[in-house]
Amino acid sequence: MDLSRIPRRRYTPFATPLEFMPNFSRALAQGCPGGKGPNVWIKRDDMLGLFPGGNKTRKLEFLVADAMAQGADTLVTCGAPQSNHCRITLAAAVKEGLRCRFVIEERVPNSYNEDASGNHFMFRLLGVEAITVVPGGTSMAEAMQRVAAEVEALGRKAYIIPGGGSNALGGLGYVACAQELQQQFFEQGVSIDRLVVGSGSSGTHGGLLAGFLGNHIDIPIVGIGVSRDPADQEPLVHKEAQAVADLLGMQMKIPRESVVSIGGYWQPKYSVPNPAMVEAVQMLARTEGIPLDPVYTGKIMAGLIGQARKGFFKPGENLLFLHTGGLPSLHAYEREVLGKAPVAR
Ligand SMILES: *Cc1c(COP(=O)(O)O)cnc(C)c1O
């Protein structure tokens, strides 16, 4: 697969680190059957560009290139009140001299707060042009069309980026990541047995899966749902992986059984803290000095920890955790993460 033929902006001038986590692996083993657990590695996609970057940075390299090719001057996208995707889209817009508007979906009633910290603070700092807040369950596609029409009425040209940047083009960012990983495995002499990734709007999981299959990287991927259980999540990921494969002309049917996700760890609700997330965030911070976030990576790591303790992974297997970023929202949940505020059970 030759991604070099597809227009792309570059927002990260290096490969993100691939590192072994010895202290975390030792701490994890203590709670695993027989005191033996997996060797856990980490891919630091929290260090991507458009600081503080995250998985959306990779997707936006292709999406923003497309927007600019079409002559757009305004990016329109959507997300939750603490959306990393909105923040990174806005940062890309600033860097490219474009303007940016959001539709924010209040999935948890009254969770939108004009003065909130974390990503919301970043929206204002980076200079978002306009934010439209809509109640949970609203059609985001229609709401973004309305915002685009407002932009066009001003004589400007809008480019709509779907939630999470998860369409076929955005998924290419994680095909690029698959190729970057393949190179790192080769150069560092690392043999990974399985990869754990968050699974939300599915561009990351689906793009990575298409990239692994297309590049003959024979590593199973386990997605940890951040908002859905497997019955709802897996068809979404399958569709995304197929769309990416089709865009690249891979001429292959993505095997349905290659899409594996695990539910439960996101409960009680998307973005709402739970005790396993708090434990995971504290554990990685205090063993490796690496921050996770409460909405995504904390719950994804809680899934890795929980599955390891259940004996889901083989003792001594090389397990790769993909850190997808999310740092700013940590600041919106400081008391919960330090155990100073109660969290749902
Ligand atoms: C958006 C996001 C995810 C989920 O990725 P999708 O491609 O939407 O499935 C995971 N982690 C972080 C930090 C995110 O911002």
Side-chain angles (χ1 to χ4, degrees):
M1 278 191 287
D2 184 6
L3 289 180
S4 69
R5 291 171 186 281
I6 302 170
R8 176 181 185 185
R9 304 294 295 169
R10 298 304 297 255
Y11 298 137
T12 314
F14 48 79
T16 59
L18 169 70
E19 294 166 347
F20 179 50
M21 300 198 289
N23 306 328
F24 177 79
S25 300
R26 257 194 310 279
L28 179 62
Q30 286 170 14
C32 291
K36 288 192 170 58
N39 296 318
V40 186
W41 293 70
I42 190 166
K43 172 71 170 163
R44 297 291 307 271
D45 268 12
D46 56 318
M47 292 172 67
L48 287 164
L50 303 175
F51 184 85
N55 60 344
K56 308 309 180 308
T57 305
R58 289 195 191 268
K59 303 176 187 184
L60 286 161
E61 291 192 335
F62 292 94
L63 292 164
V64 176
D66 188 48
M68 293 171 75
Q70 294 188 21
D73 54 28
T74 306
L75 304 178
V76 175
T77 196
C78 66
Q82 280 293 337
S83 170
N84 298 305
H85 167 68
C86 285
R87 175 193 89 248
I88 299 177
T89 302
L90 172 59
V94 170
K95 188 175 170 69
E96 303 288 9
L98 308 173
R99 279 178 279 195
C100 188
R101 297 186 176 206
F102 309 146
V103 177
I104 296 288
E105 182 186 8
E106 219 178 21
R107 296 190 206 173
V108 177
N110 300 316
S111 56
Y112 179 84
N113 166 8
E114 182 57 44
D115 295 320
S117 70
N119 278 302
H120 196 84
F121 158 73
M122 299 285 285
F123 299 166
R124 285 170 285 144
L125 177 66
L126 292 164
V128 65
E129 188 178 42
I131 298 179
T132 306
V133 183
V134 299
T138 305
S139 160
M140 288 292 113
E142 286 169 21
M144 286 192 291
Q145 284 294 348
R146 284 193 293 273
V147 172
E150 286 164 22
V151 170
E152 312 267 337
L154 299 171
R156 291 167 30 195
K157 190 160 170 30
Y159 181 92
I160 296 179
I161 296 177
S166 290
N167 55 16
L169 205 52
L172 294 184
Y174 272 85
V175 175
C177 181
Q179 295 182 344
E180 185 177 302
L181 278 170
Q182 188 170 39
Q183 184 72 17
Q184 288 178 311
F185 297 154
F186 175 66
E187 282 171 4
Q188 294 180 221
V190 178
S191 177
I192 295 295
D193 299 303
R194 208 176 334 215
L195 183 144
V196 170
V197 64
S199 205
S201 68
S202 84
T204 306
H205 186 176
L208 208 52
L209 178 59
F212 274 20
L213 292 170
N215 288 287
H216 308 285
I217 301 171
D218 193 14
I219 299 174
I221 299 174
V222 178
I224 307 290
V226 296
S227 54
R228 291 175 206 93
D229 282 338
D232 298 319
Q233 185 64 19
E234 290 179 0
L236 210 64
V237 175
H238 187 248
K239 192 164 165 243
E240 168 73 9
Q242 190 64 58
V244 172
D246 292 347
L247 178 64
L248 288 170
M250 277 168 57
Q251 301 197 332
M252 105 178 262
K253 286 264 162 280
I254 301 290
R256 177 59 184 80
E257 63 275 13
S258 66
V259 180
V260 175
S261 80
I262 293 174
Y265 294 98
W266 57 277
Q267 296 281 11
K269 205 174 166 74
Y270 167 79
S271 83
V272 175
N274 66 38
M277 175 280 288
V278 172
E279 186 200 3
V281 174
Q282 291 185 0
M283 190 166 157
L284 195 68
R286 294 171 186 180
T287 55
E288 299 288 343
I290 298 173
L292 295 170
D293 80 287
V295 179
Y296 293 98
T297 54
K299 288 182 174 178
I300 299 160
M301 185 57 101
L304 185 153
I305 295 168
Q307 293 301 111
R309 288 176 180 164
K310 284 183 189 166
F312 180 85
F313 306 114
K314 291 190 197 71
E317 83 168 61
N318 283 323
L319 186 63
L320 176 58
F321 173 80
L322 180 70
H323 193 327
T324 40
L327 181 63
S329 66
L330 191 52
H331 298 291
Y333 294 88
E334 288 174 355
R335 289 175 51 78
E336 287 83 356
V337 165
L338 289 176
K340 289 183 174 174
V343 298
R345 282 183 192 265

